[in-house]
Amino acid sequence: MSHLTSCLALGGFRISIITDNIQGAMVVGLIMIGVITVGVETHIDRSLVEASGLLESSLLGWQLIYILPVAILTNDFFISGFWMRTFASKTDKDLVVGTSIATVIVTCILTLVGATGLLAAWTGVWPGDPPQDGSIAFFLLLENLPAWVIGFVLVMTVSLSTAAFDSLQSAMVSTGSNDLFRNKLNFWWIRFAVVLIIFPVVVVALKSPSVLQIFLISDLVSASSIPVLVIGLNSTCYWWRGFEVVIGGLGGLLTVFIFGTIYYHNAQDGANLMLLENGLYAQDWSAFGAFVAAPVGGLLWGFGAFALRIGCQWILAKFRGHRFDSFDRPTLVAPSSVRQEESLDDDSGPVTHPETLATNGKFF
């Protein structure tokens, strides 16, 4: 990790892209080798297939069909590495092609890795004696494979981790330089600050009782705030303000607390639901209800805040004798054309930039 941090601090985003390509090729190759070896070395007890009940429908399975897409989709809005690569794409076509290829590869990898849980159950290594948590079924399966197979899997795991980690570091540098300091602070100071931040991050990761719970908390926060945020990204909703986004995001979390208090008949358990103390495997409706309450409650609070703001501005306009202008469209700057730099493989001529707002966004 220290070596990776040093490389990113010196090389920046270009090094991140190069290493991601290398790591991606390594992962694909190692996945193919791992699938073949697991298929050869793993022996399924057919009597356990039906007895496990994993091929039957369950309440948790149906709930996850909703929970996982909502949690992952909304949380991805906060991943700066995705946005950084989006804006780094040369053309929209390149972005679509790259995203499509990545989607297919990631889907295959997740399917193959997820299937190891089934294999662990059908080979009898899970739940084990004493029973082990289902989240470590993959590692229980590895214990029964040859050492050289475990070595390949470890290399693949490290490659995946470093690929995600260097993207995170690059995103932190870009966010700190552009969003926090508006490119007024020397870039090397930003990189040095990111290096310093890594140390407490490692400590928190080591001390945390459950990394999955940290992800679930961030998923719940994003599920409450992203729906009210994307409304403002639509040009037809020019009347949406930051006030609605903030109130909606906080209101979504408050709605989760209200739902938990009603569901458990206990305010303490309602507060614990905001932290998803029981995870996703509570075998009840708590986690599902939380991920429904967060976006729905966020939208309801957001529109309530919108009505409150509009009402106050209308009353204030009448009181002061001013024109009520809360629904006036923002002033737009006419599109401008600039000459795209010549490249070896593309000469597309002038590029027309879309209209942009002449003023910054408003909070109220």
Side-chain angles (χ1 to χ4, degrees), residues 2 202 242 346:
S2 60
V202 173
D346 182 29

Side-chain angles (χ1 to χ4, degrees), residues 55-72:
L55 298 182
E56 300 177 1
S57 63
S58 64
L59 175 63
L60 177 62
W62 287 110
Q63 289 176 347
L64 291 179
I65 293 178
Y66 167 80
I67 293 176
L68 291 182
V70 170
I72 296 174

Side-chain angles (χ1 to χ4, degrees), residues 24-101:
M26 289 177 57
V27 168
V28 172
L30 292 172
I31 280 287
M32 296 175 62
I33 297 174
V35 169
I36 295 174
T37 53
V38 169
V40 173
E41 299 292 340
T42 301
H43 303 286
I44 296 177
D45 185 351
R46 295 184 179 275
S47 63
L48 296 177
V49 175
E50 185 175 355
S52 65
L54 295 177
L55 298 182
E56 300 177 1
S57 63
S58 64
L59 175 63
L60 177 62
W62 287 110
Q63 289 176 347
L64 291 179
I65 293 178
Y66 167 80
I67 293 176
L68 291 182
V70 170
I72 296 174
L73 178 62
T74 55
N75 189 260
D76 283 351
F77 274 81
F78 286 118
I79 300 180
S80 300
F82 288 172
W83 290 109
M84 191 166 55
R85 279 156 175 74
T86 299
F87 293 123
S89 300
K90 189 174 183 180
T91 63
D92 289 345
K93 180 180 179 181
D94 293 335
L95 177 60
V96 172
V97 171
T99 303
S100 301
I101 295 174

Side-chain angles (χ1 to χ4, degrees), residues 81-322:
F82 288 172
W83 290 109
M84 191 166 55
R85 279 156 175 74
T86 299
F87 293 123
S89 300
K90 189 174 183 180
T91 63
D92 289 345
K93 180 180 179 181
D94 293 335
L95 177 60
V96 172
V97 171
T99 303
S100 301
I101 295 174
T103 300
V104 173
I105 294 176
V106 170
T107 301
C108 294
I109 292 176
L110 291 179
T111 301
L112 294 172
V113 174
T116 58
L118 299 176
L119 294 177
W122 295 341
T123 55
V125 300
W126 181 84
D129 187 20
Q132 302 293 326
D133 189 75
S135 61
I136 64 172
F138 174 70
F139 302 100
L140 295 176
L141 180 65
L142 283 182
E143 290 182 351
N144 294 270
L145 297 178
W148 66 274
V149 177
I150 298 176
F152 271 105
V153 174
L154 288 177
V155 173
M156 180 193 68
T157 304
V158 172
S159 298
L160 285 172
S161 299
T162 53
F165 186 65
D166 68 359
S167 298
L168 173 63
Q169 287 182 309
S170 297
M172 291 171 64
V173 172
S174 299
T175 301
S177 178
N178 184 70
D179 298 341
L180 297 181
F181 296 99
R182 299 299 180 184
N183 299 316
K184 295 180 180 180
L185 186 64
N186 188 286
F187 205 63
W188 285 103
W189 286 110
I190 303 295
R191 292 181 176 180
F192 180 70
V194 170
V195 173
L196 295 180
I197 292 174
I198 295 303
F199 293 101
V201 169
V202 173
V203 174
V204 172
L206 293 175
K207 297 294 184 180
S208 174
S210 173
V211 176
L212 178 60
Q213 185 178 354
I214 296 177
F215 278 106
L216 290 176
I217 294 173
S218 66
D219 289 340
L220 197 60
V221 172
S222 59
S224 66
S225 57
I226 289 301
V228 289
L229 175 64
V230 296
I231 294 178
L233 299 180
N234 191 332
S235 60
T236 59
C237 300
Y238 56 88
W239 31 263
W240 200 252
R241 297 286 188 267
F243 177 70
E244 288 84 55
V245 175
V246 173
I247 297 300
L250 296 176
L253 295 177
L254 179 60
T255 305
V256 174
F257 168 73
I258 296 173
F259 163 77
T261 301
I262 297 174
Y263 184 79
Y264 288 115
H265 306 287
N266 187 323
Q268 180 62 46
D269 291 335
N272 291 336
L273 183 60
M274 297 176 62
L275 302 177
L276 290 172
E277 292 283 353
N278 296 325
L280 295 178
Y281 310 107
Q283 298 297 331
D284 58 18
W285 290 95
S286 59
F288 180 83
F291 278 97
V292 172
V296 174
L299 290 172
L300 292 176
W301 280 91
F303 279 103
F306 169 74
L308 176 63
R309 177 179 62 83
I310 292 297
C312 291
Q313 290 177 339
W314 183 81
I315 294 174
L316 190 62
K318 291 295 184 181
F319 178 76
R320 295 180 175 178
H322 296 165

